[in-house]
Amino acid sequence: MARNERRRTEPRRETQNWPVPVIVLSGIALVGLAWLYAQSAPILETMVPARAARMADLELPGGVNVSVPEGSLNYSLQQWLADTTDATVPKRFAFDDLDFEADSAKLTPDSVATINSLVTILQAYPAVAVRLEVHSENGSDALAGKQLSFDRAITLRELMIRRGIDETRIDAEAYADEKPVAASRTEEGRAENRRIELVVAER
């Protein structure tokens, strides 16, 4: 009888409930990973090109083909040159896929490809003469802005000449912030003013 009483009075050894803390910690870890993913998602999205247009294969005079993004300057230019019903000049086109490195006259690699396609189109229409116009936003240093616009205009012209366009067919102008098309109070307005245009002077 004493043995049974001693057995009842001994404290019961409880097993450790280790799965509960592990589950809790796992849940916290998953929440943390989800938060990190949510924070990094916008950064990843900015790495995706804003405009992933379909490519269009254009057949040029002389049997030459060139592939350009639909809706791009090169696409619109070729469509206009192929349409003989509208021969009014000057005709203005704005580049939407031509960029320079920040505060530099060095073109980005994708922009060099844009100029190469432009040269191919102009070679197929040898009577066309163009003018490159480089504009910048309203900045604090007007002289520096003018010089940068000039350097970029010259870079474009010289690249096109090296690619085979006769220099008499290409003019270049740097306007800096002299001809704004929007108010510079907002980022959207400044972005509109930072533009490069191709003007067809003769066709």
Side-chain angles (χ1 to χ4, degrees):
M1 188 70 181
R3 182 182 301 172
N4 291 336
E5 290 177 357
R6 186 165 55 252
R7 184 180 301 167
R8 285 195 300 269
T9 58
E10 288 179 354
R12 187 176 61 180
R13 297 177 181 175
E14 297 182 358
T15 58
Q16 294 182 348
N17 294 327
W18 60 269
V20 174
V22 171
I23 292 173
V24 172
L25 291 175
S26 299
I28 294 173
L30 288 174
V31 170
L33 288 173
W35 182 83
L36 287 174
Y37 177 79
Q39 296 300 310
S40 63
I43 297 175
L44 294 174
E45 289 173 1
T46 60
M47 297 171 65
V48 178
R51 181 178 58 80
R54 293 186 305 172
M55 301 299 288
D57 292 324
L58 305 178
E59 185 174 350
L60 306 176
V64 178
N65 292 325
V66 63
S67 182
V68 300
E70 288 187 1
S72 65
L73 176 143
N74 286 328
Y75 180 87
S76 301
L77 173 65
Q78 192 278 331
Q79 295 294 297
W80 180 74
L81 290 174
D83 181 9
T84 57
T85 62
D86 180 12
T88 304
V89 290
K91 180 71 173 181
R92 188 176 299 272
F93 299 88
F95 284 97
D96 57 349
D97 50 1
L98 188 65
D99 297 299
F100 291 86
E101 294 183 2
D103 300 322
S104 167
K106 183 178 181 180
L107 282 167
T108 61
D110 288 343
S111 298
V112 173
T114 296
I115 293 299
N116 290 340
S117 296
L118 174 60
V119 166
T120 300
I121 293 171
L122 292 178
Q123 286 174 332
Y125 296 91
V128 172
V130 299
R131 181 173 66 254
L132 297 160
E133 296 184 356
V134 180
H135 304 262
S136 65
E137 64 184 88
N138 184 17
S140 57
D141 192 336
L143 185 60
K146 182 77 171 182
Q147 184 63 49
L148 182 59
S149 295
F150 177 78
D151 292 343
R152 289 177 171 178
I154 294 302
T155 293
L156 293 173
R157 183 175 185 271
E158 290 181 348
L159 178 58
M160 292 174 66
I161 292 172
R162 288 198 304 270
R163 293 292 191 268
I165 302 299
D166 190 278
E167 63 180 9
T168 60
R169 297 177 59 194
I170 314 171
D171 194 8
E173 295 287 347
Y175 291 106
D177 59 355
E178 298 166 19
K179 295 186 176 183
V181 295
S184 295
R185 293 187 298 271
T186 64
E187 178 55 38
E188 291 78 9
R190 289 189 292 272
E192 288 186 53
N193 291 332
R194 289 192 304 268
R195 68 194 190 280
I196 301 172
E197 296 176 320
L198 179 79
V199 181
V200 177
E202 299 176 17
R203 62 167 296 175

